Amino acid sequence: MKKTKLMTKTKKFRTFEGVFTPSILTILGVIMYMRLGWVVGNAGLFGTIIIIIIAHVIAVTTGLSISSVASDKKIGAGGIYYVLSRSMGIPFGGSIGIALYVGTAFSIALYLVGFAESLNGYLGFGMSINDIRLTGTLALVALTVLALISTSAALKAQFFILAAIVISLISIFLGTSEYTPETVHLFSDEGSVPLEVVFAVFFPAVTGFTAGIAMSGDLKNSKKSIPLGTLSAIGVGLVIYLGLAIFIAFNVNSEVLKTDYNFLMKMALFTPAVVAGIWGATLSSALGGLLGGPRILQAMSIDKVTPKIFSKGKGVNNEPVNALFMVFIIAEAGILIGELDVIARVVSMFYLTAYGFINISYFLESWANPDFQPTFKIKRWIGLLGFIACFAVMFKLDMMAMIGAFSIVALLYFGLQRKEVKLQSNDVWRSVWENVVNKGLKKIDAQIDKNTNWNPNIILFSGQSEHQYYLLELCKTVSGRTGIVTNFKLIVGKDNYKPFKKTEQIVRDNTFNHLGIFARQIKVDNIYNGITNIATTFGFSGVEPNTIMMGWPKGLENSVEYSQMTQTLLHLDYNLLYLDFDKKTKFGNYHTVDFWWRETDSKNAEMMLNIARFIIASPRWNDTKIRVLFINNNNVDIDVVHSKISELVEDLRVNVEIKIINNAVEQQPFYSLIKQHSEFTDLTIIGIPNYKIEKQAEFVLKTNDLFETIGSTLLVKAANNFNILDLDFIKDA
């Protein structure tokens, strides 16, 4: 029994062999040996130092960000992909994970093309592009076989390579050069490659720290090993790159640096040591990619982001064999490009994109997620700095490539979103929105809401009927682009002593989702008490409801309960909107809207003009002709009335037709004039006058009679926060 347990026990790695060693070997790789001199030759010493520092700002901020997130979450297989998908969701993590995976696979090609250049040059083999391709392909096949045989053996081989790199660096620093310059080349000169191109070629040198993170699923203690191993590798790499750049600048002239990629062999104290270091570094970096890349793909396939075939592994350690073959194919495609500088620029874009989003992931986690409690704590602004640095560099390097990278990530994101791949864990976006809403509500609540523009927050009681959609549609139109509408379905019953659970109160269906309306269902013992209770208690600070909308109450003229409800709504100072919907004409062609004004409609008039603004902004009503009809009962000069109304309308930036109806002589009832002029109007909007509650039955009966003649009508009663528009024009006559 004990023997079986020992045989099935998986091999787990510590910080040094699992994170630091693969990371530092990738950092001190092909760029250091084959292109650092070229960088110094083209950028000068100061330019090189600036390039190294900017690159390491991105590396350090990204390393700090990923280390902090890693110390908060359980890190599974897949490294950076795993972290991003668990913090920002599968669509986001998957799109960046794919970019990182492709970047990792291409970086293998980068290292092996560098190896081929060195090997062929040193042994006198051909240096044509086809020769480089052949050597690189053979090396890729050999390393793939090693990765297939044993991950543990591959990691152990890295210790010998690390020793070879250390010996090669000692040999370089103890060497002498016959190309010592008369003066140190401090800046780039005429004929040098632009600094943006130099940076793009150099940047893959600092991407090596992801090699250790990609092994996260094989670590004994990832929360401790990832921060310690990653940051140690970045720090050691920075010191070596700065030291070597200064040494090269003082010992080799710029012309040699620009043209001879193998000058380090010539100046070293012991050339074979440098050769061993170059070959070991390039091969180990490629091997690191072959170990880490498949694990990213395997983790994505387990989460159903990529095809399931790549999730299958072999052995007790579930080695990602299928995923390894896919990495082999992409790496081979990169080798067939055959030019190290071109591959380096491609790799830079993929990594910069991934690193930018790693940093913003940490920033959002630390800013918004109350459950984010990393043991490795850093300042929040570090993630934001890393995000800005990544995309500033991308913009400077190649704006079109940056746009292309964004487009690819966006397509992957929307593709995964449509695929609806989800995890059981919550992503950070919910916390982000909650934080934004929380801070926004506090800002809004701190402001004194007095005579401001109407921003509708409507409680809607639509009722269940075949015509419900029209009331929902008009309510959403009247609420405008930023208004909030919450529809309540009231379920009446005497046995409603037990309310719905909070989760059961939420109603979700395609109609409400399409219109952007929130919906709730509530049990009530009486519909009028239900409306009153909701109007009294619903809402929260910052976005208190300010408007009640419902259908017009035909047949309730003598209802005491309805009268009491109306009194309460008026006392609470809600804006009231009542729609009488004509089931035959509906809203006609959505082409004509009439607003009826009279001298007593001072507040209602301004509310109508606000509604007019929202109506004409709606796509359904965008070709609407709006009329303001004013009843001139006092024989005031028409030009005076027209001029004053024009000023009011112009102030509110609403384009309407103004029609003055002289009624001083005939003194026709208000509703009779409406019947004459708005009989064929698609939507008529009328203000509810101030009346004593005991007159409600009379008002309802007269209004019912009006609705028999005209089409769909909206009655409005403005709250006290609306301005008073002076419609008494006698004093101006």
Side-chain angles (χ1 to χ4, degrees):
M1 195 72 176
K2 289 182 178 179
K3 188 176 180 182
T4 306
K5 286 184 177 179
L6 286 171
M7 288 177 66
T8 58
K9 187 178 179 182
T10 58
K11 173 69 175 175
K12 294 289 184 178
F13 304 105
R14 295 185 295 267
T15 302
F16 187 73
E17 71 266 27
V19 181
F20 178 81
T21 302
S23 296
I24 196 65
L25 290 180
T26 311
I27 289 170
L28 305 180
V30 64
I31 300 299
M32 183 183 77
Y33 285 109
M34 305 296 295
R35 289 296 183 271
L36 183 59
W38 177 85
V39 170
V40 174
N42 283 283
L45 179 57
F46 286 170
T48 301
I49 291 172
I50 291 170
I51 287 171
I52 292 172
I53 289 173
I54 293 174
H56 277 84
V57 165
I58 294 173
V60 170
T61 54
T62 307
L64 288 169
S65 294
I66 198 68
S67 297
S68 186
V69 176
S71 69
D72 173 70
K73 298 182 181 297
K74 178 185 176 183
I75 305 298
I80 291 173
Y81 158 73
Y82 188 94
V83 171
L84 286 176
S85 62
R86 269 57 184 176
S87 63
M88 304 188 82
I90 283 286
F92 200 94
S95 55
I96 299 303
I98 291 172
L100 188 64
Y101 164 71
V102 174
T104 301
F106 266 111
S107 70
I108 296 168
L110 172 74
Y111 305 133
L112 293 181
V113 168
F115 167 76
E117 280 187 10
S118 174
L119 179 75
N120 288 14
Y122 184 72
L123 298 179
F125 295 161
M127 291 297 291
S128 70
I129 191 167
N130 285 331
D131 294 324
I132 299 296
R133 289 168 176 164
L134 177 61
T135 304
T137 299
L138 292 173
L140 177 61
V141 171
L143 291 177
T144 303
V145 170
L146 178 59
L148 280 169
I149 293 171
S150 171
T151 300
S152 180
L155 288 174
K156 286 178 181 177
Q158 292 184 127
F159 296 136
F160 297 101
I161 296 170
L162 180 60
I165 290 175
V166 172
I167 294 170
S168 72
L169 286 171
I170 294 171
S171 181
I172 290 169
F173 282 114
L174 294 178
T176 57
S177 173
E178 57 186 89
Y179 307 111
T180 304
E182 294 180 6
T183 57
V184 177
H185 185 61
L186 297 178
F187 304 98
S188 61
D189 54 17
E190 198 172 325
S192 296
V193 175
L195 287 179
E196 302 92 82
V197 177
V198 176
F199 182 93
V201 172
F202 173 80
F203 185 73
V206 301
T207 62
F209 67 88
T210 57
I213 299 172
M215 298 295 295
S216 57
D218 298 289
L219 299 174
K220 281 186 177 180
N221 185 349
S222 58
K223 288 187 177 183
K224 177 184 176 184
S225 294
I226 287 177
L228 181 59
T230 299
L231 296 174
S232 299
I234 293 172
V236 171
L238 173 61
V239 171
I240 291 174
Y241 271 105
L242 286 174
L244 191 56
I246 294 169
F247 177 79
I248 290 170
F250 276 91
N251 287 277
V252 186
N253 70 62
S254 61
E255 293 306 315
V256 172
L257 294 175
K258 290 178 184 178
T259 56
D260 189 352
Y261 297 144
N262 290 311
F263 74 93
L264 287 177
M265 298 181 192
K266 299 173 184 177
M267 65 178 295
L269 180 65
F270 184 57
T271 300
V274 178
V275 173
I278 294 174
W279 296 355
T282 51
L283 292 175
S284 67
S285 297
L287 184 57
L290 284 167
L291 294 177
R295 282 163 171 77
I296 298 174
L297 180 58
Q298 185 183 45
M300 290 192 292
S301 297
I302 290 171
D303 288 340
K304 300 178 182 177
V305 172
T306 46
K308 189 178 179 180
I309 189 173
F310 299 120
S311 66
K312 296 178 181 178
K314 291 186 178 180
V316 293
N317 289 330
N318 195 34
E319 296 288 346
V321 176
N322 293 347
L324 177 60
F325 285 121
M326 190 65 209
V327 171
F328 176 91
I329 292 170
I330 297 174
E332 179 60 22
I335 289 171
L336 293 177
I337 294 173
E339 295 185 21
L340 189 146
D341 294 351
V342 174
I343 302 170
R345 295 177 69 178
V346 172
V347 169
S348 292
M349 279 298 165
F350 276 110
Y351 273 114
L352 282 167
T353 303
Y355 289 178
F357 286 108
I358 288 167
N359 281 294
I360 201 65
S361 172
Y362 162 73
F363 174 77
L364 292 174
E365 281 275 16
S366 62
W367 175 65
N369 189 353
D371 194 39
F372 184 67
Q373 298 293 331
T375 55
F376 181 78
K377 298 181 185 295
I378 61 171
K379 297 293 185 182
R380 184 183 303 157
W381 57 262
I382 290 174
L384 186 61
L385 173 65
F387 174 76
I388 293 170
C390 284
F391 291 106
V393 167
M394 287 180 73
F395 182 83
K396 184 65 177 173
L397 291 182
D398 192 333
M399 186 178 69
M400 293 308 297
M402 183 188 77
I403 294 171
F406 277 0
S407 300
I408 292 170
V409 169
L411 287 172
L412 290 170
Y413 175 83
F414 289 119
L416 291 171
Q417 201 172 46
R418 288 188 65 181
K419 204 174 173 184
E420 295 185 343
V421 180
K422 294 180 180 178
L423 298 168
Q424 290 183 344
S425 58
N426 292 325
D427 60 54
V428 75
W429 293 113
R430 181 181 178 89
S431 297
V432 169
W433 288 120
E434 287 174 349
N435 209 341
V436 169
V437 169
N438 186 7
K439 292 182 184 299
L441 288 175
K442 288 178 180 177
K443 287 280 187 184
I444 295 169
D445 193 47
Q447 297 175 358
I448 299 173
D449 186 20
K450 186 177 180 182
N451 293 334
T452 57
N453 288 336
W454 181 43
N455 192 23
N457 185 352
I458 303 175
I459 297 176
L460 173 64
F461 300 99
S462 63
Q464 195 73 37
S465 73
E466 58 181 308
H467 305 291
Q468 180 194 33
Y469 182 83
Y470 291 95
L471 180 55
L472 296 173
E473 180 190 60
L474 182 65
C475 186
K476 190 57 186 174
T477 297
V478 168
S479 71
R481 185 172 55 86
T482 59
I484 301 170
V485 178
T486 306
N487 181 76
F488 279 91
K489 176 183 178 182
L490 303 182
I491 300 173
V492 182
K494 294 299 181 183
D495 57 347
N496 285 345
Y497 61 91
K498 187 178 288 186
F500 286 122
K501 295 178 181 178
K502 295 295 290 182
T503 53
E504 294 173 342
Q505 292 177 17
I506 300 171
V507 178
R508 303 186 195 277
D509 66 31
N510 292 333
T511 299
F512 294 122
N513 290 340
H514 172 69
L515 292 172
I517 292 175
F518 301 104
R520 300 288 184 270
Q521 59 179 359
I522 304 291
K523 290 181 181 180
V524 295
D525 58 358
N526 177 287
I527 194 166
Y528 309 109
N529 291 338
I531 291 174
T532 301
N533 290 335
I534 291 168
T536 305
T537 60
F538 180 69
F540 46 93
S541 297
V543 284
E544 297 285 357
N546 52 30
T547 306
I548 301 287
M549 185 170 181
M550 65 181 81
W552 175 249
K554 288 182 178 176
L556 295 175
E557 56 272 10
N558 295 313
S559 170
V560 175
E561 291 176 314
Y562 178 76
S563 297
Q564 291 173 342
M565 180 197 76
T566 303
Q567 284 181 300
T568 303
L569 296 180
L570 291 171
H571 174 74
L572 292 170
D573 202 25
Y574 274 102
N575 302 299
L576 302 181
L577 300 174
Y578 295 100
L579 175 67
D580 180 76
F581 179 69
D582 192 311
K583 297 176 183 178
K584 292 181 180 178
T585 62
K586 300 180 174 58
F587 292 127
N589 297 316
Y590 294 84
H591 188 64
T592 53
V593 179
D594 284 351
F595 292 89
W596 282 89
W597 286 4
R598 46 191 164 183
E599 292 92 340
T600 56
D601 272 332
S602 56
K603 286 183 179 291
N604 293 339
E606 191 192 32
M607 184 178 182
M608 289 184 201
L609 289 175
N610 276 274
I611 290 173
R613 270 206 297 265
F614 295 139
I615 285 177
I616 60 178
S618 169
R620 197 71 187 268
W621 295 85
N622 66 346
D623 192 29
T624 298
K625 178 183 177 183
I626 295 179
R627 297 191 302 173
V628 172
L629 299 101
F630 180 78
I631 309 299
N632 184 10
N633 289 320
N634 297 303
N635 202 26
V636 180
D637 185 274
I638 289 179
D639 291 336
V640 172
V641 177
H642 195 284
S643 175
K644 293 295 291 183
I645 293 177
S646 295
E647 288 179 20
L648 295 173
V649 169
E650 185 180 1
D651 252 4
L652 290 159
R653 302 182 301 281
V654 178
N655 185 24
V656 299
E657 176 190 338
I658 300 168
K659 184 171 183 176
I660 313 300
I661 301 172
N662 285 321
N663 194 39
V665 178
E666 292 87 352
Q667 291 292 315
Q668 293 187 60
F670 183 49
Y671 281 2
S672 296
L673 293 171
I674 295 174
K675 290 177 183 179
Q676 294 173 35
H677 293 276
S678 294
E679 182 179 358
F680 302 107
T681 302
D682 294 331
L683 178 63
T684 303
I685 301 181
I686 307 168
I688 298 174
N690 294 322
Y691 60 81
K692 293 182 179 180
I693 203 68
E694 56 266 21
K695 297 277 189 179
Q696 177 173 285
E698 180 185 347
F699 172 72
V700 171
L701 286 171
K702 285 183 178 179
T703 305
N704 286 341
D705 179 66
L706 170 67
F707 293 156
E708 294 298 323
T709 305
I710 63 176
S712 296
T713 306
L714 184 68
L715 291 174
V716 306
K717 176 68 175 173
N720 288 322
N721 66 311
F722 274 100
N723 294 311
I724 296 175
L725 297 187
D726 188 2
L727 301 180
D728 184 3
F729 301 122
I730 296 177
K731 62 181 183 298
D732 299 313

